[in-house]
Amino acid sequence: MKRISRRNFLKAAGVSAAALGLAACGGSSSSTASSTASSAAASAPAADVTIKVAAIETGYGAHMWKKVTEAFTAQTGIKVELTTDKKLEDVIGPSMQGGDYPDVVHLATGREAALTEQFIKGNLIADITDVLSMTVPGESKKVSEKIAGGFTDTSLTNPYGDGKTYLAPMFYSPCGLFYNAGFLKEKGWDVPKTWDEMWELGEKAAAEGTYLFTYPTTGYFDAFFYALMYAAGGPEFFDKATHYTEGIWDTPEAKTCFDIVAKLASYTNPITPAQANDQDFTQNQQLVLDNKALFMPNGTWIVGEMAEAPRADGFEWGMTALPAVKAGGDGYSYTWFEQAWIPAGAEHLDAAKQFVAYLYSDEACKLFAESGAIQPVLGIADELEGDNKMFYSIYDNGAKAAMGNFAAFSAIPGVEVRTVFFDPVNSLVSGSMTEQQWIDGIKSASDQMRANIIE
């Protein structure tokens, strides 16, 4: 077992437990449970081992994790001490500083606290490449035979570009622009296929007293901006941009991206920045349900997250890929997915890897899907119904898939991808920052990121 000192953890994380941010989906409830299902049904009972699993509670809820851990215990004999919380960083941070690590963590990148990114930068995540060649507990297929193509070939799972997998792809969601399809039908407005058509619709909406755009928080611009980069310059531009290639932000493709975001800011409901935080973000989402904004960037979890929210008469969920930059171009939908990982300091590494492998079993996938959490497993979309069927068919309807994110870099005080690229959107909307100031900040930070990129 590889132990990590408290000093090294603090050096990597760069933040105290008290400073860890709030969860992207807000709230504060927590639960801790232990799955104690009998091991009688286990196909290969393990020794008396109890692993600690820590999972963020999002809009999917926490109950699905209890069901999955209980089913895992029944299958393998390995007991699980489960911790779920909407503010998971606050819960597990203090114990990890003391050298007590969960064996498995389900906590995605792109969150405000950036805890997963700090573990990546500190090389504190275990290599789980061998999990791909493991047989799924209770089945005959290997993990690699279950996971859909491309999900283990991205910087979101292979952050160091060394051909090894460190993070397991979890619940995936096609991301795009969500809207009230009923409202557009009522007005006789078509869903824009290009950004020129989007601006035309923005003028029509303004004449009717409706804003074109809103966003939950600036963190939701990650999937938006990634898809926009693909639309503006394709995979080659995306790869160069996300690796901070020198001069990349002076290219025509980059200018297209910056200009679109800046112009979109002028069509954004002005109340958005004040509510774009982890406590009030649902109020921005409510703007779409109330027809006070037409589009918002989001993922398929939005349906469950706003299930109990009031809505305008005739409301009907719609989702579209980002429009093409020009007529005849490609529209892109970013595939956002969460990640599970094993801390390098995990006490029960082998049992933890069995648990990760089990997450791709038919049994686990079914239990997750009951709560709307869809694993990136081959053929799973065929089993979906209703809104999810429509959402997960977006790539069958002309949209191209975008995957990947900015390359990891060693910790730089005060510099994170979100704070540099996405948080300034609030200031663009409020008018306290110009587009050029935003670009200048990106160029300056990119120089530092490039100099500190983790190879």
Side-chain angles (χ1 to χ4, degrees):
M1 176 185 68
K2 178 181 178 182
R3 300 301 295 172
I4 303 173
S5 69
R6 181 175 186 273
R7 179 183 177 186
N8 285 342
F9 171 80
L10 290 173
K11 182 179 178 181
V15 291
S16 68
L20 292 174
L22 301 178
C25 291
S28 60
S29 66
S30 67
S31 65
T32 301
S34 175
S35 69
T36 58
S38 171
S39 63
S43 58
D48 187 15
V49 173
T50 298
I51 63 172
K52 296 179 180 179
V53 174
I56 184 70
E57 180 184 347
T58 63
Y60 301 130
H63 192 60
M64 65 180 186
W65 282 105
K66 186 173 186 297
K67 289 182 177 180
V68 168
T69 53
E70 288 175 344
F72 172 72
T73 298
Q75 181 61 241
T76 66
I78 301 172
K79 294 181 286 292
V80 179
E81 180 183 317
L82 173 67
T83 297
T84 61
D85 200 282
K86 293 180 179 179
K87 301 179 183 178
L88 189 66
E89 296 94 335
D90 290 350
V91 174
I92 65 176
S95 62
M96 288 197 294
Q97 290 181 42
D100 182 13
Y101 298 89
D103 294 291
V104 179
V105 178
H106 172 249
L107 185 68
T109 55
R111 292 171 53 75
E112 187 171 347
L115 183 60
T116 298
E117 285 89 340
Q118 302 303 337
F119 267 71
I120 292 172
K121 294 172 186 178
N123 291 288
L124 302 178
I125 294 181
D127 177 0
I128 59 170
T129 307
D130 56 341
V131 172
L132 299 177
S133 61
M134 290 174 60
T135 300
V136 176
E139 299 183 8
S140 60
K141 290 185 177 181
K142 294 180 179 180
V143 173
S144 60
E145 296 174 317
K146 299 295 292 286
I147 299 177
F151 279 90
T152 55
D153 300 319
T154 167
S155 58
L156 287 170
T157 54
N158 305 4
Y160 307 120
D162 58 1
K164 298 179 181 179
T165 299
Y166 294 83
L167 298 96
M170 292 289 289
F171 320 135
Y172 82 109
S173 172
C175 295
L177 300 178
F178 286 71
Y179 60 96
N180 178 1
F183 187 54
L184 265 64
K185 291 177 184 177
E186 175 188 332
K187 293 294 185 179
W189 296 337
D190 294 327
V191 176
K193 299 298 184 183
T194 66
W195 281 104
D196 283 341
E197 292 178 5
M198 182 67 82
W199 310 137
E200 292 173 6
L201 179 57
E203 296 299 322
K204 293 179 182 178
E208 297 281 343
T210 300
Y211 287 91
L212 179 67
F213 192 69
T214 188
Y215 50 89
T217 71
T218 54
Y220 283 70
F221 271 90
D222 53 4
F224 179 97
F225 201 71
Y226 296 144
L228 184 59
M229 285 195 288
Y230 268 94
E236 182 178 356
F237 170 70
F238 178 84
D239 185 66
K240 290 181 178 179
T242 53
H243 286 80
Y244 324 110
T245 300
E246 188 170 1
I248 194 65
W249 304 120
D250 292 314
T251 62
E253 293 86 355
K255 178 172 174 53
T256 294
C257 294
F258 295 140
D259 288 350
I260 286 174
V261 173
K263 189 167 185 175
L264 193 58
S266 70
Y267 283 95
T268 298
N269 190 310
I271 199 174
T272 298
Q275 300 175 161
N277 56 68
D278 292 332
Q279 293 76 43
D280 305 317
F281 72 98
T282 56
Q283 295 181 41
N284 283 337
Q285 295 176 167
Q286 187 66 42
L287 295 175
V288 173
L289 276 68
D290 292 338
N291 296 332
K292 295 180 180 178
L294 293 187
F295 296 99
M296 65 174 165
N298 224 301
T300 56
W301 60 83
I302 184 65
V303 175
E305 199 166 63
M306 302 299 286
E308 304 302 320
R311 60 203 63 207
D313 291 342
F315 182 89
E316 178 185 341
W317 283 112
M319 175 189 176
T320 183
L322 262 66
V325 168
K326 57 184 178 181
D330 294 318
Y332 278 87
S333 168
Y334 186 79
T335 297
W336 190 91
F337 60 89
E338 304 180 32
Q339 301 95 26
W341 44 277
I342 299 174
E347 183 175 1
H348 304 292
L349 185 60
D350 290 340
K353 289 182 177 180
Q354 287 191 59
F355 182 77
V356 172
Y358 178 75
L359 296 176
Y360 302 99
S361 66
D362 291 345
E363 185 175 41
C365 289
K366 180 180 179 181
L367 293 171
F368 284 134
E370 289 174 355
S371 295
I374 309 301
Q375 285 287 68
V377 169
L378 291 168
I380 199 168
D382 296 337
E383 308 299 321
L384 303 179
E385 299 177 350
D387 287 330
N388 273 339
K389 186 72 172 179
M390 180 261 292
F391 296 153
Y392 284 85
S393 297
I394 189 169
Y395 302 119
D396 299 327
N397 296 325
K400 287 195 171 183
M403 281 196 288
N405 65 350
F406 284 105
F409 51 88
S410 300
I412 304 170
V415 176
E416 293 288 350
V417 167
R418 174 170 170 169
T419 59
V420 171
F421 286 90
F422 311 135
D423 283 351
V425 174
N426 278 337
S427 298
L428 292 175
V429 175
S430 67
S432 61
M433 177 183 286
T434 66
E435 178 183 357
Q436 190 58 50
Q437 288 173 324
W438 177 42
I439 295 171
D440 290 343
I442 287 175
K443 289 181 180 179
S444 175
S446 288
D447 289 341
Q448 298 179 66
M449 294 170 176
R450 182 171 59 257
N452 289 276
I453 197 168
I454 298 176
E455 299 293 350

